[in-house]
Amino acid sequence: GYPGVEVLEALARRGIPCAGADAPFLLLGLDKGRSRARLAARGVPIPRGAVVDHEPLDLAACGPGPWLVKPREAGGSVGIDD
């Protein structure tokens, strides 16, 4: 699970108000594929990219680099290495 989401869900169950995003919005932001699709559908410019749901990842098929490869569901800089 996601600790931040679990806290937001617990607060909502207890009717405790919370400033900021709710759990469904936070979950959307953590899923890069859903986020990209939602933004694009509303006309927001997004960088060229792809969501790959299989391994091994064939970077040659993705076009010329450089690439930034991240896990589909993770927040912040999780999954980014030098």
Side-chain angles (χ1 to χ4, degrees):
Y2 299 103
V5 173
E6 292 168 3
V7 169
L8 291 171
E9 290 171 338
L11 291 171
R13 280 193 304 274
R14 290 169 177 78
I16 300 171
C18 176
D22 62 8
F25 186 83
L26 183 54
L27 286 169
L28 173 65
L30 290 170
D31 184 324
K32 283 135 196 84
R34 287 182 54 217
S35 294
R36 290 178 64 83
R38 179 79 61 95
L39 292 168
R42 284 162 177 75
V44 176
I46 57 172
R48 180 177 52 109
V51 175
V52 180
D53 289 322
H54 56 81
E55 291 189 33
L57 177 59
D58 181 7
L59 289 177
C62 295
W67 305 282
L68 176 63
V69 179
K70 283 194 61 158
R72 179 177 180 150
E73 293 182 354
S77 61
V78 171
I80 304 232
D81 296 320
D82 291 332

